[in-house]
């Protein structure tokens, strides 16, 4: 595999491709920092270990399409509160896919004179995301 531009990246939500996207902010994982310094430490620097990990919210945005089943699915998930399987499938040259479970916690539309109508969807990622080799192109 090699490096690639982002053209061809897909967001799949509950096995439906979300169309019209021009931005996916991606998966961000952070771990708590736990201070384990004790009286035997004479270095003057704190000793730390990683703790609980947390995945930040994921946002995706693009152009609202009244016929797009993936956009409709995102809006329906906001109403239902269901947590469903999702994927970010990168282009074939990258050969990687993020797989994760998430629920929709925000859906926004916007309109400005001289511009296309836009939307943004926010996902709360639940549990452990996995970055692995893509099995097949979606």
């Amino acid at each position: 595999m090699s490096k690639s531009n982002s053209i061809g990246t897909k967001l799949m939500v509950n096995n439906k491709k979300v169309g019209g996207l021009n931005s996916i902010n991606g998966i961000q994982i952070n771990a708590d920092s736990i201070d384990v310094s004790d009286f035997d430490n004479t270095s003057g620097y704190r000793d730390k270990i990683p703790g609980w990990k947390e995945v930040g919210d994921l946002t995706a945005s693009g152009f609202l399409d009244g016929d797009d089943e993936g956009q409709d699915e995102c809006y329906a998930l906001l109403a239902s509160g269901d947590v469903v399987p999702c994927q970010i499938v990168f282009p074939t040259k990258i050969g990687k896919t993020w797989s994760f479970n998430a629920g929709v916690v925000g859906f926004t539309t916007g309109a400005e004179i001289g511009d296309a109508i836009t939307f943004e969807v926010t996902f709360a990622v639940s549990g452990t995301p996995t970055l692995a080799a893509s099995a097949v192109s979606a």
Side-chain angles (χ1 to χ4, degrees):
M1 299 297 146
S2 62
K3 297 174 181 145
S4 175
N5 67 34
S6 60
I7 300 299
T9 300
K10 296 172 182 62
L11 175 62
M12 305 294 293
V13 175
N14 211 15
N15 294 315
K16 294 183 174 92
K17 178 184 172 212
V18 180
L21 295 178
N22 63 7
S23 176
I24 303 170
N25 84 333
I27 298 285
Q28 179 180 346
I29 304 170
N30 294 304
D32 292 337
S33 178
I34 300 171
D35 186 343
V36 293
S37 303
D38 59 31
F39 292 128
D40 293 328
N41 177 341
T42 59
S43 69
Y45 289 87
R46 294 189 181 278
D47 294 321
K48 296 181 181 182
I49 60 172
W52 285 97
K53 293 169 191 70
E54 181 175 0
V55 182
D57 287 350
L58 179 145
T59 59
S61 58
F63 303 105
L64 190 64
D65 180 343
D67 293 327
D68 188 82
E69 289 183 7
Q71 291 180 19
D72 290 345
E73 179 70 8
C74 291
Y75 186 71
L77 289 170
L78 177 63
S80 73
D82 291 340
V83 173
V84 298
C86 301
Q87 292 182 313
I88 300 171
V89 182
F90 294 111
T92 304
K93 279 181 123 179
I94 297 296
K96 297 284 187 181
T97 296
W98 275 112
S99 298
F100 55 96
N101 292 318
V104 174
V105 295
F107 193 96
T108 305
T109 58
E112 292 186 33
I113 292 177
D115 281 337
I117 297 172
T118 60
F119 83 102
E120 180 175 278
V121 59
T122 303
F123 298 89
V125 178
S126 179
T128 305
T130 304
L131 180 61
S134 296
V136 290
S137 290

